[in-house]
Amino acid sequence: TLNFDYIETEAAERYDILITEIYADPTPSLGLPETEYIELYNQSNKAINLNELQFSNKSTIIELPFYVLQSNEYVIIYEENIFINFSDYGKTLAVESFPPLANSEDELTIADLNDNLIHTINYTTAWYRDGNKSNGGFSLEMKSLNNFCQKAKNWSASIATIGGTPGQRNSVYENF
């Protein structure tokens, strides 16, 4: 006898998966592991296998490994490293060859393997709205999951004392 869970996954469609937090400049750390990460959120009502998606910045594209992201669930994605682990903060996915995130500006994209866009962000340091926080140690956080297309207006520097809120609702969350 073997017990197992059967989970039926579905393909991600545009805006099913959102990039909701970006930790591009982890130095100096205020308490978080000192490595870059992004946070994804599944706002759909379906389970989505991330190995059907790719993540990219302006210079690097990687295919994501097997990971079932359930509805209304966050996952922290970062470079695989035996010395760094984000599991204390939530569900994690450590990947090989995580694209380096530019500190000043970058374009981050989640797409399916046929290059159909799921979500994209073109961030700059102006999105922090605080010159001190844009110098490192703070993540950029999406304010409202309902207004993900409002670009800079919907993003701000984290107000969490450790510099970010990986794996959980963002510290700057607003329901607008």
Side-chain angles (χ1 to χ4, degrees):
T1 303
L2 177 66
N3 291 327
F4 66 92
D5 291 326
Y6 174 75
I7 300 171
E8 189 170 334
T9 61
E10 298 179 53
E13 297 177 51
R14 185 172 252 183
Y15 307 126
D16 280 349
I17 304 288
L18 300 177
I19 301 167
T20 54
E21 189 165 345
I22 304 163
Y23 195 49
D25 189 358
T27 305
S29 172
L30 300 172
L32 292 171
E34 204 162 325
T35 195
E36 298 174 345
Y37 69 81
I38 63 163
E39 173 190 83
L40 299 183
Y41 178 71
N42 180 354
Q43 72 167 1
S44 76
N45 62 359
K46 53 192 173 188
I48 297 173
N49 190 341
L50 297 185
N51 77 346
E52 298 172 358
L53 302 176
Q54 57 191 1
F55 168 61
S56 64
N57 68 358
K58 286 183 180 177
S59 62
T60 307
I61 299 173
I62 63 165
E63 290 184 12
L64 294 173
F66 178 89
Y67 182 91
V68 177
L69 187 59
Q70 298 287 347
S71 176
N72 300 310
E73 186 175 84
Y74 294 95
V75 66
I76 308 156
I77 301 179
Y78 61 100
E79 176 81 34
E80 187 174 59
N81 181 319
I82 62 171
F83 301 109
I84 295 175
N85 190 330
F86 279 91
S87 62
D88 288 345
Y89 303 97
K91 299 187 181 215
T92 63
L93 182 58
V95 299
E96 293 182 28
S97 305
F98 183 83
L101 307 177
N103 293 351
S104 59
E105 66 179 81
D106 210 341
E107 179 179 358
L108 307 181
T109 300
I110 299 292
D112 69 17
L113 299 180
N114 294 317
D115 291 324
N116 295 309
L117 181 68
I118 305 300
H119 190 220
T120 191
I121 296 293
N122 291 293
Y123 69 88
T124 71
T125 53
W127 286 24
Y128 286 93
R129 294 182 172 68
D130 183 323
N132 293 325
K133 290 184 176 182
S134 66
N135 289 327
F138 289 90
S139 69
L140 280 171
E141 296 181 344
M142 181 184 281
K143 293 179 185 179
S144 171
L145 299 173
N146 300 323
N147 292 294
F148 47 83
C149 290
Q150 286 192 352
K151 301 181 182 176
K153 195 175 186 180
N154 194 31
W155 288 79
S156 183
S158 177
I159 58 173
T161 57
I162 61 170
T165 56
Q168 56 191 304
R169 187 165 83 174
N170 290 338
S171 64
V172 296
Y173 175 80
E174 296 179 26
N175 191 12
F176 65 89

